[in-house]
Amino acid sequence: MSDLVLRSAGSLATQPNQTELKQDALRERFALFGLCSPALLLVLIIMVLPVGWLFWLSFLGEDGNFTLENYQRMVESKSYARIFRNTFEVSLLTTGICILIGYPLAYFLSQLPRRAANLCMITVLLPFWTSLLVRTYAWLVLLQRRGLINEWGMDIGLWDEPIKLVHNLTGTLIGMVHIMLPFLILPVYGSMKAIDRDYMKAAANLGASPAQAFWRVFFPLSLPGLFAGALIVFVLCLGFFVTPAVLGGGKVIMVSMRIATNIELFFNWGAASALGVVLLVLTLVILGIASRVLRFDQLLGGGHGS
């Protein structure tokens, strides 16, 4: 009987405490929301409102009335399907080439002493200090029919006449890989540097060869950084404009270029907005699929999981 009374008294005493704790937690949430409100307002003005305005424009016809003709045109016209196919093809090829070049380079940098690695990382970051437009036109000078590469190749006898390196898919890929490569190297390098080298030593002590230790231990631990870098490169390539426009020579048409054409030549904001909305939705779908493979903190930070 006394035990029952004590338990009842204890439960009655804890109820006010629980109520006060809930009130304190609620006040803390309101305080945190108040501190975050300026940043949330800035995000609302800079990101949410423009995207909402983009959605609204996509449902307006040339006469200013509500219509679905901008989306119907994309479904009915084969040219739009070809543009989206080109966009994803160029993005995938650029991402794949960046992986083939960037992963070995990141591994090489991760094995260097810290001082040497920091010096080499300067060369990776150096393109960020040069304008994107300047780098693109520099490649145009190098790759054109009478450019430095063709002249050099003919001088040493590699080929007899100029080869077509620009105003096609080849020139577009060269320029985009050069610009996107640092975006893959940086997260991969960060992921590799976070791997404990004792894992490799333990694998060697257990009888694994260097190749086996790399593929069974090091490579799986570096995959989150590789996925993060590949995702960043791919998403950025989807909206690329300057490099395909200059190095593609009008033969490599991507979604961003069609958007610019709809605005600059046809003054059709509705068609341009619809293209932007579809590209945004496809990008969000890709991010959603990627989040199923890895957590977003791994995708954005490039850290390796357990």
Side-chain angles (χ1 to χ4, degrees):
M1 183 67 179
S2 60
D3 293 338
L4 180 61
V5 172
L6 290 175
R7 285 197 298 269
S8 300
S11 61
L12 292 175
T14 56
Q15 288 179 358
N17 293 334
Q18 292 177 353
T19 304
E20 292 179 1
L21 289 174
K22 291 180 179 179
Q23 292 176 352
D24 290 339
L26 187 61
R27 284 194 294 268
E28 184 177 358
R29 290 179 181 177
F30 276 114
L32 291 175
F33 178 78
L35 293 174
C36 296
S37 58
L40 294 176
L41 181 62
L42 184 64
V43 171
L44 176 65
I45 295 174
I46 295 178
M47 297 183 62
V48 178
L49 290 181
V51 172
W53 180 67
L54 188 72
F55 271 87
W56 170 252
L57 286 179
S58 67
F59 291 103
L60 296 181
E62 296 182 1
D63 55 357
N65 295 325
F66 182 85
T67 180
L68 295 175
E69 64 180 10
N70 296 320
Y71 293 99
Q72 292 175 352
R73 188 184 302 112
M74 281 190 285
V75 175
E76 297 171 356
S77 178
K78 295 182 179 180
S79 62
Y80 284 95
R82 185 167 58 252
I83 290 172
F84 277 99
R85 185 175 64 249
N86 290 340
T87 300
F88 279 88
E89 178 184 351
V90 172
S91 300
L92 285 172
L93 289 174
T94 302
T95 304
I97 297 173
C98 284
I99 290 174
L100 293 177
I101 299 175
Y103 189 90
L105 181 57
Y107 178 76
F108 171 75
L109 294 177
S110 67
Q111 302 304 308
L112 293 176
R114 181 176 297 274
R115 184 178 180 84
N118 291 336
L119 292 175
C120 292
M121 283 299 294
I122 295 176
T123 62
V124 176
L125 299 175
L126 192 61
F128 288 125
W129 303 341
T130 308
S131 170
L132 174 64
L133 192 61
V134 172
R135 283 181 280 166
T136 301
Y137 276 101
W139 276 114
L140 184 62
V141 173
L142 291 173
L143 298 175
Q144 60 186 341
R145 290 183 61 86
R146 292 298 176 182
L148 296 178
I149 294 180
N150 268 317
E151 293 289 345
W152 174 75
M154 288 187 295
D155 289 342
I156 64 175
L158 292 178
W159 48 79
D160 297 329
E161 58 183 15
I163 58 178
K164 198 169 185 179
L165 296 174
V166 75
H167 295 162
N168 51 21
L169 180 61
T170 302
T172 302
L173 291 177
I174 291 174
M176 291 184 66
V177 167
H178 172 245
I179 293 169
M180 289 297 167
L181 195 57
F183 292 100
L184 183 112
I185 293 176
L186 292 176
V188 175
Y189 174 77
S191 179
M192 289 179 175
K193 291 297 289 185
I195 298 175
D196 193 344
R197 294 300 182 269
D198 290 340
Y199 294 157
M200 302 295 288
K201 296 178 182 178
N205 289 334
L206 292 174
S209 64
Q212 291 175 332
F214 174 81
W215 287 111
R216 295 188 179 183
V217 178
F218 191 90
F219 181 72
L221 292 176
S222 67
L223 282 180
L226 181 61
F227 287 149
L231 184 63
I232 292 172
V233 171
F234 182 75
V235 171
L236 289 177
C237 288
L238 289 177
F240 231 67
F241 173 75
V242 175
T243 304
V246 175
L247 298 179
K251 297 180 180 179
V252 181
I253 307 297
M254 299 181 69
V255 174
S256 57
M257 299 167 63
R258 186 57 184 265
I259 292 174
T261 301
N262 286 336
I263 295 175
E264 295 174 357
L265 296 182
F266 304 113
F267 303 102
N268 193 338
W269 285 86
S273 300
L275 278 171
V277 168
V278 172
L279 184 61
L280 176 62
V281 171
L282 291 176
T283 303
L284 293 177
V285 170
I286 293 171
L287 291 175
I289 295 174
S291 66
R292 298 277 183 169
V293 180
L294 288 175
R295 299 194 312 269
F296 260 108
D297 57 345
Q298 293 179 348
L299 289 175
L300 299 177
H304 57 273
S306 58

